[in-house]
Each structure stands twice: as structure tokens, then as C-alpha cells.
Amino acid sequence: MAELDTLDIIVLAAILLGTVAYFTKGKLWGVTKDPYASSLANANGAKAGKTRNLIEKMDESGKNCIIFYGSQTGTAEDYASRLAKEGKSRFGLETMVADLEDYDYENLDSVPSGKVVIFVLATYGEGEPTDNAVDFYEFITGDTPTFTEDSDPPLANLNFVAFGLGNNTYEHYNSMVRNVTKALEKLGAHRIGEAGEGDDGAGTMEEDFLAWKDPMWKALQEKMGLEEREAVYEPVFGIVERDGLTKDSPEVYLGEPNKMHLDGSPKGPFNAHNPYIAPISKSYELFSVKDRNCLHMEVDVSGSNLSYQTGDHIAVWPTNPGEEVDRFLDVLGLTGKRNTVISVKALEPTAKVPFPTPTTYDAVVRYHMEICSPVSRQFLATLAAFAPDEETKTEMAKLGGDKDYFHQKVNVHHLNIARVLQTVGKGKKWTNVPFSALIEGVTKLQPRYYSISSSSLEHPKVISITAVVESQHLPGREDPFKGVATNYLLALKEKQNGDPSPTPFGLSYEITGPRNRYDGIHVPVHVRHSNFKLPSDPTKPIILVGPGTGVAPFRGFVRERVKQAQNGETVGKTILFFGCRKRSEDFLYEKEWEEAKKVLGDNFELVVAFSREGAKKVYVQHLLKQRAEEINDLLLKKAYFYVCGDAANMAREVNTVLGQILAEKRGISDSKAEEIVKNMRAANQYQEDVWS
């Protein structure tokens, strides 16, 4: 028998391995899949293999109520989840929550009349849909949306419910829910109950939602023949403590947003599902007073595919301060388990675990839960059932059920959930609260958005942030209410500038990030594109109104025009109205404006309102009125008008003053002047980047 040479042995071995692989399907050496692993572990929130057909999804999961959300900051998504839980627990509805961008809409006409679709829609910016609702909005409000059936009207079978989240300081208040409701009804759909509207501008969003939902449920109950039952908590998620894993196990998420970050090799595209861990190249203080802080921070995105245009927003992914993490874990009796590894699994097919697992209690609370935000009245009512004693249960039920009492005891003090539990429970531990209830009831920690204060023409790969550090003294509260993200940025700035263990205002942050991957002063970010843009023709005059940190995007605008002038382009007049308290305290970028003046000459003018330097307070709107003649002349030359900053007072008053200027200088009625301002907005000649 001939001897086998080396090549024969290799070939035979390959054949043998292939045969074994075929008959065993690779089970002999396959890696066992973690049954509790979260789909969020995939980078970019990948949804491979999931159907986009909402009828298929509802049928295969046995659902008769789908709740779509259009959300930018997470509130609409939270309201959708709360409606889903209440619909199931009170009325036995088989509910599912759905992201609008996960589904196609052509078969909305095929939803049977025995089922209901609920839309919870936030309006973003100047009447725009949220990022995840753009495709749906364009489809449903289009001239001739095409559906799968040949019905007339196409949506005659569709029963729907709608609630909108808006801000009355914007001109297009709640335009999303209004326009979508109008479009659906035009297509023959039947609205159940009133289309609700929540108003963030008046600070009544939560109470508007609660006041709307009870009559809505009654109308839905009558329409669908539902029977109300006693609401009993049913967990959406199963929590399993993993004895075989520790926080040092390589597969355990300690705050990483997805698998690529866990493996230490994050790749683009970087977006709202996948942040870029960006180095901070420079940071410094802009104020000259001890009790207030304003940060200038420069984020280097040269190692990523991120790009921006002047006027865009940068999103910062914050972490919660250690003190609040400790408070939360302590009041729930979880301090001793903070590093215990848990897996979280959805107990029903349409629910999504909002963070990757396996993970730890500490990581969930520190990186994924909005534990510092004011608590909702509805959530307190839910937690009453898990109170440590009857006295506490009674007090929680009262807080959850009495709007005025809740406002007096909780709302005015901006108390978060842990502080409420501490106070109401008088120091007792709330060990009966299921962790699933906390995942469901505490909203997901959201990125914070800041107007970019740099010019992409001048610095295409460096993004500047200009942000006041939030620290607000409230009556009846011992310590100030502190902003999560700005204090996190302040800690990063302090470390970069020489403090080895920064604790701004007594807060400590895990600023080196999960597994020290943010060390060397890094911050997780992504870019959100905005419609707040300079005119494409640089010769057009521009009028900029931006007091305080409202000047942020205008720093970018002015630097862009300086760069254009240095490149030999002709630029139009730029007049900037800026406001602050005192020249010696908070005059932002004073030297930079002087440098811009040297380059632009008469084509740049800075007009400053110092509100605390004289006997009377002077604001930007006052100076705007003083310059009425020039403002009107510039607008006649088709100048673009921009406002950035506080929506509730400043932006509204500027809008009013502009109407007064036009009426006075052009000899027209107030109503005609208001119409001109509205037309300017419609033509993007009047743009706002404002916040409440």
C-alpha cells in the first residue's frame, strides 16, 4: 500500500472536517449563543432579519394595538411605552411599541378595523418631524400616498389615536400631530377621542399627557368594547443574575453602547446609535466669576467619518454623577449588588431591551437610565404597590393621584426618583421594586444637543461647544439642581486643565468611561444636521440675535465669514446683537469679535446689551428696536434674520419687536407686518435655533 504524502493527509483531513461540519451543523465547536443577549449589542442598532411589514408583525405576535412614536429626546418614546403598559394592564389590549423608522406604511390600509394604531409624535424645531419620523411624515402628508389595497377612501378601516408633544414658544406648535391627524382623516381614517397636545413651553407636558389619556381610554373602551380590569403590574423584562460572570468578564457590558465598543474596535458610521469617542483637544472657562461657569470645548473628530456644516448640532452622551448612582442603588437596596452581572430578556416578542446585556446594575444605572431627571406622577402611582410599608404606600398613592399635592411636594423641587423614594420612605429601602419596573419606568439616558460654535470652513474636523454649566437654586431644596451633561463636561474640563480628581459642585463622574476607554479626556459624541444655515450667497446681509450661549452658532457664522473674506470672497454686512450681564463677568468671546472686526471692517458690527450694568435692565430686543432704521433697510436688501437662545421670553419678544419695526418703518398695519414676518419664516429668511 502506497504511503500517504503530506498533501494527501491534508486533503483527507479537510474532507473529514467538512463531513463532520455538515452532519453536526457545527455544533461540536460552535459558540453557544447567550439566550439573554440583547439585540442592542449590534452596532448601529442593526435590525437585520426583522420584518418591516406591520401587519405581519402584529399578526405573528398576536397584537391588536400598535403604538408608534416619533421621538427626538426620548419623551415620546417613554409616553408610548406607558400607554402600552396601561392598555395591557387596564384593558387587556395586546399592545406593542414601535419606532416609526422600523416599519413601512404602505399597508396601513390593511390594519383591520378591530385593531387600533396610536401615534405619539413630537414636533422638533420649526415644525419639523423628529429624525425617526421623517419618512413617515413625508409619506402620509404627500400628495398621493400609495397603499396596498384599492380602497376609496384608502384608510377607511383605520382607527387611530394621536398625542403630540410640542412647545408653544415655537410658531409651528405641535404641527406634527396636527398635520398627521389632518392627513389621516383626509385619507378616511377614524380618530378615536381628541388628538392630545402636550406643551413643553408652558412646563405642563406631563400633566397635559395625563389629562388627555383618561378620556382617550374611555373613548377607546367604547369604540372597541373593552372591559376595564384591576391593573396589576406585569413585568416586560426578565432579569437573571449571572453567577458565572463577573464585571471583569470580557463579554460583560460596563456601559459600552454596542458590541464594537465592547470589543474595543468601534467603527463608523457614527450616529445616534453609535457614538464616536472623541478626544477633547482644548477646553477653557469663558466666565470671570466664581459662582457661574461657561465652557468652551473643542472636540476633535478627525479620527472618524463625522462631518458637520456650520450651524449643525453636536450630541454629547453623558454619564450620571456617582453621587446620584449611589443614591439610586442605595434606596433600592442594590448597593451590595452594584457589580453583579445581569442579563435582561424581553418577556414578550415586540419589547426591546434598551441597552446591551449581559451588564451590571451599576452600568445600567450609570450609563443608561435618566436617574437625575424629575420623576413623573404616573410612575410614583405605579411604585406605590412596592412600598416598604402601608404608610409609605398611602403617601405614594396620594402623590401619584393628586396633581396639586405632587406639584407642591415633588415637582417644584425637581426631585428625581431616588430622592422621592428616600423622602417618602423616610430612609427605608425599597427592596420590593422589581428591576424590570425601573427599566420600564425610568427613561433612557439621552444625548444632549448643543449648537456647534465653530465654522466647518475654518475647522472641518474640530467641533466647538459653548455651554453654560447648569446649577440652579430652587426654593425648598437644600442643594442646587444640576444639569447632568454640562457638569460632566465641566469635570472633563477640570481634569484636562490639571485637576486629577475633579468633583465640580461636589459631583464625581466616571470620566475615564467603561474599562477606561475614555481616558486621555475623551467624550462620546455624534452630529445632528440642522436647517439653521447661513445663506448660500455670502454677499447677503445677516442679522444675528443671540444673548448668552445663544451666541454659540453665531460665533461659527462670524468665523465662517471671516474665513470667506480671507479667501478673497465678498461678504455682506453682519450685525450681531449679543447680550450678557456685565462686561467684566460674562462677555463671551470679546477678543474674538475684535479680531473679526479687523478682518471684516465695516461689514461686521457687534451690538451688546449689558443687563446688569445700569439702573435699568437692557436686553437684545431693546437694542434691536433702537436700530429699527438700519434693521428695516437691511431687510429691504433681503437680509437673513437669525435668533438663537431662550424661546419662552427672548425669542418671542424679538419676533414681536421685529413686527413693530416693520409696521413703524414701512407705515403698515401690525397684522400686515406679522404676515411679512411669517412669510420670512416660510422662506427661511427668518430662522430660529431656540430652546425652552
Side-chain angles (χ1 to χ4, degrees):
M1 183 175 165
E3 288 187 10
L4 295 173
D5 63 20
T6 304
L7 181 60
D8 291 331
I9 293 169
I10 292 169
V11 171
L12 285 171
I15 292 169
L16 178 62
L17 282 169
T19 306
V20 173
Y22 177 80
F23 285 107
T24 67
K25 304 293 189 283
K27 289 176 184 173
L28 292 182
W29 54 79
V31 178
T32 305
K33 187 177 187 298
D34 182 353
Y36 289 93
S38 162
S39 62
L40 272 193
N42 296 325
N44 297 320
K47 304 176 181 76
K50 292 189 180 181
T51 180
R52 291 187 59 83
N53 185 314
L54 69 97
I55 305 298
E56 271 181 23
K57 187 66 175 179
M58 292 179 82
D59 287 347
E60 73 185 24
S61 54
K63 303 301 181 186
N64 59 4
C65 174
I66 184 167
I67 304 165
F68 283 115
Y69 63 85
S71 188
Q72 197 72 38
T73 63
T75 308
E77 182 179 359
D78 175 49
Y79 285 1
S81 299
R82 285 157 64 176
L83 289 172
K85 282 194 68 65
E86 191 171 354
K88 184 173 175 63
S89 63
R90 279 180 65 187
F91 302 102
L93 281 166
E94 292 301 327
T95 56
M96 65 175 278
V97 176
D99 187 330
L100 274 168
E101 69 180 356
D102 288 353
Y103 291 90
D104 298 321
Y105 326 111
E106 289 82 358
N107 56 1
L108 269 175
D109 60 340
S110 303
V111 177
S113 58
K115 300 187 178 186
V116 65
V117 178
I118 300 177
F119 295 96
V120 184
L121 303 169
T123 298
Y124 166 59
E126 285 300 304
E128 299 154 36
T130 57
D131 292 347
N132 73 318
V134 171
D135 290 345
F136 167 72
Y137 184 71
E138 289 177 352
F139 172 82
I140 208 70
T141 59
D143 292 337
T144 51
T146 306
F147 296 97
T148 52
E149 308 284 335
D150 192 21
S151 307
D152 187 26
L155 298 184
N157 269 348
L158 184 68
N159 292 310
F160 78 97
V161 169
F163 182 80
L165 296 82
N167 186 317
N168 72 21
T169 58
Y170 288 84
E171 183 186 0
H172 303 285
Y173 172 60
N174 260 313
S175 65
M176 266 297 285
V177 74
R178 293 177 181 182
N179 293 345
V180 167
T181 297
K182 186 178 174 184
L184 289 170
E185 290 179 330
K186 184 181 173 185
L187 293 164
H190 305 283
R191 174 171 48 80
I192 300 171
E194 293 298 317
E197 295 185 355
D199 186 3
D200 193 39
T204 58
M205 180 74 77
E206 177 73 15
E207 290 302 333
D208 293 339
F209 173 69
L210 296 179
W212 162 81
K213 72 178 180 61
D214 286 333
M216 179 278 293
W217 285 128
K218 189 168 185 194
L220 191 60
Q221 199 179 353
E222 290 171 3
K223 177 73 176 176
M224 297 185 70
L226 305 174
E227 286 188 24
E228 186 167 4
R229 60 189 189 182
E230 185 181 353
V232 177
Y233 174 72
E234 297 176 44
V236 173
F237 303 107
I239 316 295
V240 176
E241 295 186 355
R242 306 291 297 277
D243 295 335
L245 296 173
T246 72
K247 72 179 182 65
D248 299 318
S249 301
E251 66 266 48
V252 174
Y253 289 84
L254 299 180
E256 296 90 349
N258 58 47
K259 184 74 163 61
M260 291 191 304
H261 284 265
L262 179 68
D263 293 340
S265 56
K267 297 180 182 66
F270 297 105
N271 51 34
H273 303 290
N274 184 38
Y276 174 58
I277 311 304
I280 297 170
S281 55
K282 185 191 291 186
S283 59
Y284 53 85
E285 176 64 52
L286 289 168
F287 283 175
S288 307
V289 284
K290 286 184 178 177
D291 59 339
R292 296 164 64 220
N293 296 87
C294 185
L295 307 177
H296 175 88
M297 193 164 271
E298 296 183 5
V299 178
D300 184 350
V301 295
S302 58
S304 74
N305 68 333
L306 286 175
S307 64
Y308 77 100
Q309 295 298 314
T310 308
D312 282 345
H313 299 134
I314 184 170
V316 171
W317 295 45
T319 70
N320 285 311
E323 288 67 23
E324 292 299 338
V325 173
D326 294 345
R327 187 194 309 274
F328 187 93
L329 293 171
D330 175 63
V331 76
L332 293 158
L334 291 171
T335 300
K337 286 186 165 188
R338 70 187 313 147
N339 292 321
T340 298
V341 176
I342 56 171
S343 284
V344 182
K345 185 176 177 63
L347 297 179
E348 67 98 27
T350 62
K352 289 194 292 190
V353 180
F355 45 79
T357 74
T359 184
T360 65
Y361 288 112
D362 184 284
V364 173
V365 175
R366 190 177 300 275
Y367 291 99
H368 299 294
M369 283 183 168
E370 199 75 75
I371 62 168
C372 295
S373 65
V375 67
S376 78
R377 184 159 64 86
Q378 188 177 5
F379 189 40
L380 295 189
T382 300
L383 293 182
F386 308 109
D389 56 44
E390 284 303 314
E391 181 188 355
T392 306
K393 181 177 181 179
T394 302
E395 178 69 2
M396 284 290 277
K398 185 177 180 184
L399 287 168
D402 187 327
K403 178 172 85 170
D404 296 331
Y405 188 63
F406 172 80
H407 180 74
Q408 172 196 342
K409 293 286 186 180
V410 176
N411 212 29
V412 294
H413 307 309
H414 279 44
L415 296 185
N416 60 38
I417 182 60
R419 288 173 184 249
V420 172
L421 298 184
Q422 275 183 332
T423 304
V424 177
K426 297 176 181 174
K428 298 183 187 76
K429 307 298 182 205
W430 291 65
T431 54
N432 298 328
V433 180
F435 200 67
S436 173
L438 297 166
I439 297 171
E440 297 157 35
V442 180
T443 54
K444 186 179 174 185
L445 186 60
Q446 296 291 329
R448 272 44 172 186
Y449 293 94
Y450 299 94
S451 300
I452 292 173
S453 59
S454 51
S455 156
S456 57
L457 182 65
E458 181 186 28
H459 294 298
K461 284 295 182 178
V462 176
I463 295 176
S464 294
I465 299 170
T466 306
V468 165
V469 178
E470 188 179 5
S471 182
Q472 187 181 356
H473 289 277
L474 298 169
R477 179 173 167 139
E478 291 179 7
D479 60 333
F481 176 76
K482 304 178 188 76
V484 173
T486 52
N487 282 278
Y488 169 54
L489 292 176
L490 178 56
L492 287 166
K493 174 255 174 188
E494 288 184 356
K495 183 167 186 190
Q496 184 168 51
N497 288 276
D499 188 337
S501 303
T503 54
F505 299 110
L507 297 180
S508 60
Y509 289 85
E510 208 166 80
I511 54 181
T512 58
R515 293 181 169 87
N516 294 323
R517 292 207 171 116
Y518 302 176
D519 205 6
I521 323 296
H522 287 70
V523 63
V525 299
H526 72 269
V527 170
R528 182 174 72 189
H529 297 294
S530 159
N531 294 323
F532 194 71
K533 293 286 181 283
L534 280 164
S536 54
D537 179 357
T539 65
K540 291 279 186 192
I542 55 174
I543 302 160
L544 315 174
V545 184
T549 53
V551 83
F554 301 142
R555 175 182 183 266
F557 282 17
V558 172
R559 293 184 77 90
E560 181 113 341
R561 289 217 150 172
V562 166
K563 188 66 177 172
Q564 287 170 331
Q566 289 171 335
N567 290 346
E569 293 184 61
T570 303
V571 297
K573 172 85 174 183
T574 299
I575 181 166
L576 168 60
F577 290 86
F578 171 66
C580 62
R581 292 184 182 180
K582 294 181 179 179
R583 182 184 292 273
S584 59
E585 288 185 5
D586 52 1
F587 190 169
L588 302 183
Y589 303 115
E590 182 178 8
K591 287 187 170 54
E592 288 194 21
W593 308 129
E594 293 170 3
E595 294 299 317
K597 182 72 175 172
K598 289 176 186 173
V599 176
L600 297 174
D602 291 341
N603 277 331
F604 175 66
E605 184 178 359
L606 177 68
V607 183
V608 185
F610 295 108
S611 64
R612 306 283 174 91
E613 287 199 348
K616 269 181 85 175
K617 290 187 177 179
V618 179
Y619 296 113
V620 286
Q621 54 268 34
H622 301 141
L623 298 187
L624 195 64
K625 200 160 190 180
Q626 287 177 17
R627 305 292 290 269
E629 191 80 45
E630 186 176 3
I631 297 300
N632 183 55
D633 288 346
L634 287 171
L635 291 175
L636 288 171
K637 294 173 185 170
K638 301 299 180 188
Y640 279 62
F641 192 87
Y642 299 86
V643 182
C644 182
D646 163 47
N649 299 305
M650 182 276 298
R652 187 172 277 182
E653 288 179 28
V654 166
N655 184 86
T656 302
V657 166
L658 186 61
Q660 291 169 351
I661 288 171
L662 294 178
E664 179 191 327
K665 295 301 170 186
R666 299 186 186 182
I668 56 177
S669 66
D670 290 344
S671 58
K672 179 64 178 171
E674 285 171 17
E675 189 183 333
I676 292 172
V677 173
K678 278 190 177 180
N679 290 338
M680 285 172 61
R681 287 178 180 274
N684 275 336
Q685 192 186 346
Y686 186 137
Q687 297 182 34
E688 287 183 323
D689 182 2
V690 295
W691 54 84
S692 57

